[in-house]
Amino acid sequence: MPDDTAKESDKPSLASIRETVVIWDGILSARKESGDAEEHKLRWEGTVVACRDSPDATKVDAPKRGAFEKDVSSELRFDVSGSAKPASGQGEEECFRAELTDGPGYDVNDVVGKKDAKHKDDAHKLLLAHLCWRGNVRDQSDNLVIASGSCSAFGTFISVGWSRPGNRLTLARRYLHPNDDRATWDLKRIRDEVLAEVKIEGQVRIPPWQCPLMNSQLKKRHAPTQHSGAAPAKKCKLTADTNNTAKEQQSGAEPAQVS
């Protein structure tokens, strides 16, 4: 975890970026590695939208994309890659754990209000139930994606979002103060806390980052929340399921980018 407390006064952008919700929206591609039966190589690329002056995440909507556009309109782009493996010993609802720190990185110039070079995360871990959108719209918790990590320039972050038709991932990132309790939470803790806030009567609110947990300031909380009303854990598929591609094409959805 980067130590950004020592030079806090030298980084005037930190206070503003912690009030910014940074949304990454793009297509996730996955392919199996022949040498490892469990590992999938991943690439996630798309555009970045910075929602400034957004301490209240419940007021941040998902960015809109044109009907014939591949990406949300933005001059900021990201292109990250890495790998994923099935989670083991963590319970079946945690299907895949991924790490995305390779690739060119991402633009941040509009986020901090000045021209800047590409940035790369020192750590970027994701927890997701599947590597290919499976068409489950009845239980959106199946599509929930959680992430956390750190960047030497801006510190620790957490991300909440969901997978969508066409294997599109949309995640909202919140950078945290180093003394924020959320900076120490693991991915499962973040997921449980998010579900406790966004799953109501069996339905998950979309976008899932519209919850107090994603606000810039975290209110004092009790012990880790045990969410209720969750659907039974789903058995993990060890390979990306491409059977939905034809159905998505018939319904007009984007084809999943999985090979």
Side-chain angles (χ1 to χ4, degrees), residues 92-210:
E92 285 187 333
E93 66 178 345
E94 295 184 84
C95 282
F96 287 92
R97 289 181 180 268
E99 177 83 19
L100 296 175
T101 53
D102 297 328
Y106 53 94
D107 299 319
V108 298
N109 51 302
D110 278 4
V111 176
V112 297
K114 63 179 181 180
K115 183 68 176 178
D116 212 336
K118 290 276 187 183
H119 279 252
K120 299 184 74 171
D121 292 325
D122 300 309
H124 187 186
K125 300 179 182 297
L126 290 84
L127 177 65
L128 58 172
H130 45 79
L131 300 181
C132 178
W133 192 77
R134 297 193 293 215
N136 187 353
V137 295
R138 293 187 176 183
D139 180 12
Q140 287 283 8
S141 62
D142 185 55
N143 301 320
L144 188 67
V145 182
I146 301 296
S148 67
S150 62
C151 167
S152 59
F154 307 121
T156 303
F157 63 84
I158 60 174
S159 301
V160 175
W162 83 110
S163 61
R164 308 161 71 178
N167 234 39
R168 180 174 297 275
L169 297 190
T170 306
L171 269 68
R173 175 180 292 199
R174 172 73 77 185
Y175 288 94
L176 306 173
H177 190 278
N179 294 330
D180 193 305
D181 289 344
R182 292 169 293 183
T184 66
W185 292 0
D186 61 19
L187 293 172
K188 186 178 185 304
R189 169 75 185 274
I190 298 171
R191 184 179 189 274
D192 287 345
E193 296 285 351
V194 169
L195 283 173
E197 293 187 349
V198 304
K199 192 161 189 176
I200 303 172
E201 296 182 353
Q203 298 297 317
V204 171
R205 181 169 58 246
I206 296 295
W209 62 74
Q210 289 184 340

Side-chain angles (χ1 to χ4, degrees), residues 68-83:
F68 302 101
E69 299 294 330
K70 175 185 175 182
D71 297 315
V72 171
S73 179
S74 173
E75 294 183 356
L76 304 181
R77 299 199 61 83
F78 71 89
D79 186 351
V80 294
S81 57
S83 62

